[in-house]
Amino acid sequence: MLTVKNIDVYRGKTHVLHQVDLHVGHGEIIALIGANGAGKTTTLKTISGFLRPAKGSILYTAAKGKKTMDFSAMAPEQIVGAGISQCPEGRGVFSQLSVKENLVIGAYLRSDNEIGKDIQSIYEMFPILGERLNQAAGSLSGGEQMMLALGRSLMSRPKLLILDEPSLGLAPLIIETIFDKLIKINTQGITILIVEQNAVMALELSHRAYVLETGRVVLSGQSADLAKNPKVQKAYLGGE
Ligand code: ATP
């Protein structure tokens, strides 16, 4: 579905990503893990068109048999239109707007008549949002804002959902609720690429994972195997 091929990315004069390769197959949950500053957010921003690779390509095929596109030359809005939705680090909800208005904004590129139906299904997924539909998003708790950000990302009916640190700053119980929903979302046919510092949760959730260190992919494989890898355990899972 998505193949990031040998990309180099600079931020200002800083060479942040070095020959990063990663592949996301249809229906997979892929995790990208790594320490602070490893380049995870930079990778996501490059996929969604906010940063341009100096080298390499980002190839995307919406479904088998469809034309392959190269995101490295496309604008963020075209990339959303191709079926990618990014749920950014720090949630990014519009705090002055209501819960419902935030969800409507998530559907801004759609012109079909099922937007109301999809909003209902978000309320079913997260009943607390339904109870607070007219409340300003800024007055929600951190966990509720994360649910709203996730709901808003789903409103564009993405084929690939990209999440940047969804667990950041949330209580363990809320993280579990969100991660359970991610599994459900995936079983409904949405492919997921997730960046997480919480490597334990990320490796439990995902099918495969990539480990990024100082802008380079240093390890990749099945998540269950990576969770047993002594290097991963020592660096990311709190092992000896
Ligand atoms: P975190 O978990 O802290 O968000 P990350 O793995 O997502 O980390 P990035 O945010 O991608 O890492 O940052 C990677 C590197 O790029 C860091 O060394 C950071 O200092 C640098 N960087 C990020 N943004 C900029 C910028 N706007 N200009 C220059 N360097 C930047």
Side-chain angles (χ1 to χ4, degrees):
M1 175 178 226
L2 182 79
T3 302
V4 173
K5 231 174 170 174
N6 218 13
I7 59 166
D8 274 28
V9 178
Y10 289 80
R11 299 191 80 164
K13 290 204 169 99
T14 315
H15 190 171
V16 176
L17 298 184
H18 304 260
Q19 293 152 28
V20 167
D21 269 322
L22 58 94
H23 178 74
V24 182
H26 288 279
E28 284 193 303
I29 303 180
I30 300 295
L32 186 56
I33 60 175
N36 263 332
K40 304 180 299 295
T41 299
T42 301
T43 305
L44 297 191
K45 284 191 169 167
T46 310
I47 293 170
S48 44
F50 292 103
L51 293 170
R52 294 267 171 238
K55 262 202 260 161
S57 55
I58 300 165
L59 303 177
Y60 171 74
T61 317
K64 280 166 197 146
K66 295 262 182 196
K67 206 175 114 220
T68 297
M69 304 173 187
D70 188 350
F71 283 174
S72 58
M74 285 167 61
E77 196 170 281
Q78 291 175 299
I79 293 173
V80 175
I84 313 295
S85 185
Q86 187 164 340
C87 190
E89 188 175 357
R91 337 285 185 231
V93 296
F94 297 101
S95 51
Q96 310 291 328
L97 300 183
S98 71
V99 166
K100 189 172 179 190
E101 287 164 337
N102 268 276
L103 292 175
V104 169
I105 284 176
Y108 76 107
L109 285 179
R110 288 173 55 182
S111 54
D112 59 274
N113 55 11
E114 295 196 336
I115 292 171
K117 185 181 133 209
D118 284 6
I119 290 179
Q120 278 310 318
S121 68
I122 303 293
Y123 294 158
E124 276 158 32
M125 185 182 294
F126 298 117
I128 192 83
L129 297 181
E131 286 165 29
R132 312 213 158 165
L133 74 167
N134 294 315
Q135 196 170 314
S139 68
L140 300 177
S141 71
E144 290 158 1
Q145 288 192 27
M146 183 59 224
M147 293 172 197
L148 179 56
L150 179 55
R152 190 184 58 188
S153 299
L154 292 172
M155 285 303 296
S156 66
R157 289 196 169 175
K159 296 184 173 65
L160 172 62
L161 175 64
I162 297 181
L163 300 136
D164 194 355
E165 301 274 4
S167 78
L168 201 69
L170 300 184
L173 214 60
I174 309 268
I175 299 176
E176 253 178 60
T177 306
I178 305 253
F179 276 51
D180 281 350
K181 300 296 180 194
L182 292 178
I183 292 174
K184 205 161 167 212
I185 290 164
N186 177 247
T187 55
Q188 288 166 357
I190 299 178
T191 304
I192 295 177
L193 172 61
I194 179 170
V195 153
E196 260 296 340
Q197 270 193 49
N198 186 335
V200 175
M201 295 291 292
L203 292 178
E204 272 177 24
L205 173 78
S206 57
H207 304 120
R208 292 189 301 114
Y210 292 82
V211 180
L212 207 58
E213 272 177 21
T214 53
R216 289 184 166 83
V217 173
V218 292
L219 274 173
S220 63
Q222 298 292 322
S223 301
D225 294 338
L226 285 177
K228 287 186 233 144
N229 179 310
K231 272 194 216 153
V232 174
Q233 288 193 340
K234 187 159 185 272
Y236 303 104
L237 303 175
E240 288 302 307

